[in-house]
């Protein structure tokens, strides 16, 4: 961040991270040296380093929250590159037009951009999926229901709201989504900002991507178990808002449904008796195959259209049509990768739905090759005088002997 226009006086930067057995002294030195440099420049910048992993990421966030009296808490992963005017764009949403605090605003989530979106087939596929589900889907759900289900890095929280609903839950695999839904059920709202972008790095290997997606699928199954019925019972919200949010909470059930549908093809051919998908000795009819494939095609096409319709944003700073063409070029990689992930997604979702509440938190390795990215800020109106605590978490750090926490990106 560039602490300008008086915002320097109300920033508390708190770096959070657990000490892991394989974390070396060089990593610790980088973090401590950077924090000391910012303190010398007049910024209150503290490092909180736990000696245990109790509660994992949620536990680290709770430990940091209890050490600050700030009104607002901003959470970034270690690979995040926020714009210099992030606070100027986000903080005003916690206030009304008259300058009074919006008491019911719990959280503001910004859009993700991807530093390494064009590295290969895998990152292109991830880009389309995240643009369709987190950016396009998040904006629609936010406008329609007043809740951001896909909360995570790049979110700023009202400390009062977080405290009111019990803080981050260490038993939740997706602690921010769980917190957002608990806040919604308690009468708070959250908001998605599609035009403010925090750059992040995508997993660059299939093993890392598979591990991340399995954790997300298990976490979303856990979210559905905990909150699907709860959002329907919320009082004071329009029924269609609750049903719309309910559909977003349980949407991951499409993965086991898709797997069952795909595996049903041989049985449908065998049982067709010539009237739909043919018989054992006769090839399926073309029209019947089109009908069979229609649901999967429509789901993929909906994601492609949703991603293409998004306004240009970093790193695609170009005309709308050009940005849409780039995103549509991700469609084939998206179909290939997601088809290959159906079994993993479905198995993880079922495991999450059937498993116990507590599970091991596995970090997603990032290789740090995303590079440095900066967008010059456009002038925005003053962000007010509220204190903001910036919590940098180590979720995205690579668990290797030489861990790169992305310190150059944090500053």
């Amino acid at each position: 961040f560039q602490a300008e226009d008086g915002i320097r006086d109300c920033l508390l930067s708190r770096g959070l991270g657990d000490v892991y057995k394989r974390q070396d002294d060089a990593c610790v030195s980088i973090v401590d040296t950077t924090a000391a440099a910012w303190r010398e420049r007049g910024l209150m910048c503290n490092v909180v380093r736990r000696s245990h992993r109790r509660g994992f990421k949620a536990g680290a966030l709770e430990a940091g929250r209890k050490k600050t009296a700030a009104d607002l808490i901003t959470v970034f992963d270690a690979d995040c590159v926020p714009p210099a005017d992030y606070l100027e764009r986000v903080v005003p949403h916690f206030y009304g037009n008259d300058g009074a605090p919006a008491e019911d605003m719990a959280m503001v989530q910004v859009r993700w951009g991807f530093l390494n979106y064009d590295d290969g087939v895998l990152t292109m596929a991830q880009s389309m999926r995240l643009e369709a589900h987190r950016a396009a889907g998040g904006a629609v759900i936010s406008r329609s229901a007043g809740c951001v289900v896909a909360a995570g890095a790049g979110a700023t929280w009202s400390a009062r709201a977080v405290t009111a609903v019990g803080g981050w839950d260490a038993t939740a695999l997706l602690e921010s989504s769980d917190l957002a839904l608990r806040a919604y059920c308690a009468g708070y709202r959250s908001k998605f900002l599609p035009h403010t972008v925090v750059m992040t790095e995508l997993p660059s290997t299939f093993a890392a991507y598979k591990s991340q997606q399995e954790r997300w699928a298990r976490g979303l199954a856990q979210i559905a178990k905990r909150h699907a019925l709860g959002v329907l019972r919320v009082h004071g919200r329009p029924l269609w808002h609750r049903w719309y949010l309910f559909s977003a909470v349980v949407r991951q059930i499409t993965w086991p449904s898709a797997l069952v549908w795909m595996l049903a093809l041989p049985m449908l051919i065998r049982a067709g008796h010539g009237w739909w998908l043919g018989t054992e000795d006769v090839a399926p009819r073309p029209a019947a195959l089109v009908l069979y494939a229609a649901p999967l095609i429509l789901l993929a096409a909906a994601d492609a259209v949703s991603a293409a319709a998004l306004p240009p944003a970093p790193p695609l700073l170009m005309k709308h049509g050009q940005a849409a063409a780039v995103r549509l070029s991700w469609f084939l990689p998206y179909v290939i990768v997601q088809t290959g992930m159906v079994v993993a997604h479905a198995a993880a979702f079922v495991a999450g739905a059937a498993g116990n509440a507590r599970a091991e938190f596995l970090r997603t390795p990032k290789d740090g090759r995303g590079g440095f990215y900066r967008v010059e800020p456009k002038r925005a109106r003053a962000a007010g005088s509220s204190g903001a605590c910036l919590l940098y978490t180590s979720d995205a750090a690579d668990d290797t002997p030489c861990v790169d926490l992305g310190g150059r990106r944090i500053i």
Side-chain angles (χ1 to χ4, degrees):
F1 288 106
Q2 292 179 338
E4 299 175 345
D5 300 331
I7 299 178
R8 174 187 295 273
D9 296 332
C10 62
L11 280 181
L12 168 64
S13 181
R14 190 176 300 277
L16 297 179
D18 299 342
V19 174
Y20 301 99
K21 293 181 179 179
R22 299 179 64 191
Q23 188 178 24
D24 64 0
D25 293 337
C27 172
V28 173
S29 176
I30 290 172
V31 174
D32 291 344
T33 301
T34 301
W38 279 103
R39 285 195 294 270
E40 290 177 0
R41 296 172 62 176
L43 187 70
M44 187 183 297
C45 183
N46 301 316
V47 177
V48 178
R49 187 171 289 115
R50 303 195 303 165
S51 60
H52 57 80
R53 293 194 69 191
R54 284 194 295 272
F56 304 107
K57 183 175 178 180
L61 291 170
E62 273 295 284
R65 180 180 71 86
K66 293 175 180 178
K67 292 180 180 292
T68 178
D71 297 326
L72 301 175
I73 300 172
T74 298
V75 181
F76 294 115
D77 285 343
D79 60 316
C80 287
V81 186
D85 60 347
Y86 172 91
L87 292 178
E88 295 182 12
R89 290 170 174 262
V90 171
V91 172
H93 294 278
F94 288 91
Y95 296 86
N97 294 330
D98 59 354
E103 300 293 340
D104 64 338
M105 181 63 73
M107 181 265 290
V108 174
Q109 172 73 52
V110 303
R111 184 175 165 185
W112 291 354
F114 309 110
L115 292 163
N116 56 338
Y117 75 94
D118 57 351
D119 272 6
V121 170
L122 181 61
T123 56
M124 292 179 186
Q126 293 177 72
S127 298
M128 171 162 280
R129 175 167 169 76
L130 291 171
E131 288 280 63
H133 289 267
R134 294 192 69 98
V140 171
I141 295 170
S142 170
R143 289 195 304 267
S144 302
C147 182
V148 179
V149 178
T156 294
W157 295 85
S158 163
R160 181 180 54 81
V162 173
T163 301
V165 298
W168 282 278
D169 185 353
T171 67
L173 282 170
L174 300 180
E175 68 289 327
S176 293
S177 294
D178 176 78
L179 182 58
L181 287 166
R182 281 190 281 126
Y184 176 86
C185 293
Y188 292 95
R189 61 190 175 95
S190 50
K191 189 173 186 179
F192 184 85
L193 303 183
H195 298 289
T196 301
V197 180
V198 166
M199 302 301 294
T200 65
E201 186 176 331
L202 297 165
S204 57
T205 66
F206 188 79
Y209 173 63
K210 182 173 179 289
S211 174
Q212 179 199 65
Q213 293 301 301
E214 287 176 338
R215 175 167 63 88
W216 285 4
R218 289 195 303 272
L220 288 168
Q222 185 186 69
I223 292 292
K225 287 172 60 179
R226 291 184 176 190
H227 301 293
L229 296 180
V231 299
L232 291 177
R233 292 194 293 259
V234 173
H235 297 291
R237 310 271 188 171
L239 180 60
W240 75 272
H241 282 191
R242 287 177 278 157
W243 275 105
Y244 195 82
L245 185 58
F246 172 83
S247 69
V249 171
V250 301
R251 66 180 173 82
Q252 285 293 315
I253 201 172
T254 55
W255 287 110
S257 300
L259 179 60
V260 171
W261 186 247
M262 293 169 68
L263 295 178
L265 179 59
M267 292 180 286
L268 290 174
I269 294 175
R270 179 180 178 85
H273 302 299
W275 64 273
W276 186 28
L277 288 178
T279 64
E280 295 180 73
D281 302 320
V282 180
R285 299 178 182 179
L289 279 179
V290 171
L291 182 63
Y292 167 80
L296 303 177
I297 293 173
L298 288 175
L299 286 173
D303 284 352
V305 171
S306 298
L310 288 169
L316 301 180
L317 294 177
M318 55 188 69
K319 294 181 178 179
H320 193 291
Q322 294 173 321
V326 171
R327 293 191 183 107
L328 287 175
S329 70
W330 302 337
F331 182 70
L332 184 57
Y334 168 75
V335 171
I336 294 172
V337 172
Q338 296 309 313
T339 300
M341 284 291 294
V342 168
V343 174
H345 275 295
F349 182 85
V350 172
N356 55 29
R358 189 177 296 274
E360 176 79 7
F361 182 93
L362 299 176
R363 296 181 298 157
T364 302
K366 306 288 181 69
D367 59 19
R369 292 182 301 176
F372 181 84
Y373 190 89
R374 174 173 175 161
V375 177
E376 291 297 328
K378 296 181 179 179
R379 305 310 301 167
R381 66 188 181 94
S385 59
S386 174
C389 174
L390 308 181
L391 303 183
Y392 293 90
T393 72
S394 60
D395 161 61
D398 189 4
D399 191 13
T400 63
C402 184
V403 183
D404 178 7
L405 289 179
R408 68 188 187 282
R409 295 174 184 160
I410 289 177
I411 61 175

